Amino acid sequence: MKPDARVEGQRWLAQAENDLAFAALASREGYFAQACFNSQQAAEKALKAFLYSRGAEQVFGHSVADLAAECTELDAEFASLRSRAAPLDQFYVATRYPNSLPGGIPAQAFARPEAERALEMAREVMAAVKHRLAPAE
């Protein structure tokens, strides 16, 4: 593994951890749409961290499901994670834009159960990536 690849992967992972911490804070404070969005972002960036750490020069896209599929090409252990984390994709647009919903606004459309579910999925992605990026002993 190129040293630069590992460093870039760690940069993405650090930001993913920050996004996940903010998602948890948002959920505790009642900002459920933001918690859902930042959970999606944490999972997306964690998966990108894995891909960058494995030498990817550019990683495109925002779909957690698609990124997990790319990760599966490098590590079969990501296959089962893909289906469990894919629901995070629903939070990428709907949590941010009023015109993504048939009525109301995202701040009123998401509640604690969605935020907690999103956090749980993001934490699972984070744990899987951290496990695979841990230095070999």
Side-chain angles (χ1 to χ4, degrees):
M1 175 184 327
K2 298 184 302 186
D4 293 344
R6 184 154 183 85
V7 169
E8 188 63 8
Q10 289 301 317
R11 285 171 18 100
W12 280 83
L13 188 60
Q15 186 60 48
E17 290 174 320
N18 186 269
D19 287 352
L20 187 57
F22 186 73
L25 174 65
S27 183
R28 282 193 306 273
E29 295 298 320
Y31 295 96
F32 304 121
Q34 291 82 356
C36 291
F37 174 70
N38 280 281
S39 292
Q40 185 279 337
Q41 288 289 285
E44 175 187 333
K45 290 171 188 162
L47 293 167
K48 288 180 176 183
F50 177 80
L51 294 168
Y52 281 121
S53 74
R54 293 298 191 261
E57 292 187 20
Q58 293 186 0
V59 180
F60 295 105
H62 303 285
S63 167
V64 170
D66 290 350
L67 291 166
E70 285 186 55
C71 291
T72 301
E73 293 175 17
L74 300 172
D75 184 331
E77 296 296 317
F78 280 97
S80 63
L81 183 67
R82 181 183 183 197
S83 63
R84 291 193 311 276
L88 284 166
D89 286 344
Q90 69 185 312
F91 301 127
Y92 182 68
V93 174
T95 55
R96 299 183 295 154
Y97 304 110
N99 64 351
S100 69
L101 301 171
I105 62 171
Q108 298 165 336
F110 293 89
R112 186 173 306 281
E114 290 92 2
E116 292 304 318
R117 186 169 143 258
L119 279 163
E120 183 180 314
M121 288 182 282
R123 287 179 180 128
E124 183 177 2
V125 171
M126 185 72 68
V129 169
K130 284 178 141 181
H131 174 73
R132 283 162 185 83
L133 293 184
E137 294 183 33

